[in-house]
């Protein structure tokens, strides 16, 4: 298995970043949707700080992933993929990157504009405030953070749905080349 992407497959660095970011976003979404239900105890503030810390971690990981993609390239489309599907896939990927940057940045901006005391990244490093307290900016950034999440969910569902469509109906390697080696027996054919 190559670290770098090839013309046929995503490399192990791209795969690892893809699945780690997906897992962290799933955890952030679950916590974010349920946070408001928790009583305002010290545990609540710990969960809130962890949500912020993992969000900043996703921001950093997405930056690393984008830099790696620009460096390592991307596999060519699977042979036989219509041009319109290639264009939609490309637009979807770039929209996912935009949202994966915008959502944590909007969350950080919301935290800053809310006038809350600075939070410490995983309890270790105090994160700087991006702006002075502002009620209007707080509301706008919160709306971007929240609605951006729902837009991300829709895009991820479309992205995953397209991958499964390719795997089940078109029986091509679109899905398997992003999975760890050996998953879904078809990936064995891919690597041959």
């Amino acid at each position: 298995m190559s670290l770098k992407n090839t013309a046929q497959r995503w490399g192990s660095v791209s795969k690892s970043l893809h699945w780690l970011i997906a897992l962290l976003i799933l955890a952030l979404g679950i916590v974010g949707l349920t946070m408001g239900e928790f009583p305002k105890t010290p545990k609540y503030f710990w969960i809130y700080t962890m949500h912020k810390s993992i969000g900043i971690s996703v921001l950093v990981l997405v930056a690393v992933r984008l830099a790696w993609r620009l460096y390592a390239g991307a596999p060519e489309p699977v042979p036989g993929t219509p041009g319109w599907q290639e264009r939609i896939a490309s637009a979807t990927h770039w929209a996912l990157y935009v949202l994966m940057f915008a959502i944590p940045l909007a969350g950080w901006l919301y935290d800053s504009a809310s006038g809350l005391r600075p939070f410490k990244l995983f309890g270790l490093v105090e994160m700087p405030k991006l702006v002075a307290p502002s009620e209007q900016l707080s509301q706008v950034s919160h709306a971007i953070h929240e609605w951006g999440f729902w837009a991300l969910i829709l895009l991820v569902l479309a992205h995953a749905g397209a991958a499964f469509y390719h795997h089940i109906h078109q029986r091509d390697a679109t899905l398997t080349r992003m999975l760890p080696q050996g998953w879904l027996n078809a990936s064995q054919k891919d690597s041959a």
Side-chain angles (χ1 to χ4, degrees):
M1 165 76 44
S2 172
L3 289 177
K4 197 171 176 186
N5 304 330
T6 67
Q8 293 77 36
R9 292 188 65 81
W10 293 98
S12 58
V13 172
S14 293
K15 289 181 191 183
S16 297
L17 288 169
H18 176 275
W19 293 109
L20 176 60
I21 291 168
L23 183 64
L24 290 175
I25 289 173
L26 176 64
L28 284 167
I30 291 168
V31 171
L33 291 171
T34 58
M35 250 183 339
E37 307 301 318
F38 297 143
K40 304 292 190 268
T41 65
K43 185 180 279 189
Y44 168 84
F45 295 104
W46 180 86
I47 291 169
Y48 209 79
T49 299
M50 289 306 294
H51 179 80
K52 295 175 190 180
S53 297
I54 294 171
I56 296 296
S57 299
V58 166
L59 181 63
V60 170
L61 288 170
V62 171
V64 169
R65 181 175 178 195
L66 181 58
W68 182 258
R69 181 171 177 164
L70 295 173
Y71 165 73
E76 296 171 5
V78 172
T81 302
W84 66 270
Q85 285 183 3
E86 290 178 33
R87 289 187 294 278
I88 290 174
S90 180
T92 300
H93 285 127
W94 290 111
L96 286 167
Y97 277 113
V98 167
L99 288 171
M100 288 186 296
F101 277 110
I103 294 167
L105 282 173
W108 190 0
L109 194 59
Y110 168 62
D111 182 73
S112 298
S114 295
L116 301 171
R117 64 186 175 95
F119 77 96
K120 289 187 176 184
L121 187 70
F122 296 108
L124 302 171
V125 178
E126 189 170 293
M127 295 299 293
K129 293 291 186 181
L130 299 177
V131 295
S134 164
E135 182 63 31
Q136 183 179 8
L137 189 54
S138 172
Q139 290 175 0
V140 169
S141 57
H142 185 264
I144 292 169
H145 187 68
E146 186 175 334
W147 289 105
F149 170 74
W150 292 112
L152 180 66
I153 293 299
L154 290 175
L155 273 177
V156 165
L157 289 173
H159 176 69
F164 281 111
Y165 171 79
H166 275 271
H167 184 72
I168 295 167
H169 294 289
Q170 296 196 326
R171 299 187 184 277
D172 65 26
T174 301
L175 173 63
T176 58
R177 63 190 189 166
M178 182 50 91
L179 293 175
Q181 200 72 21
W183 281 39
L184 296 178
N185 295 332
S187 65
Q188 298 299 327
K189 296 176 202 166
D190 231 12
S191 60

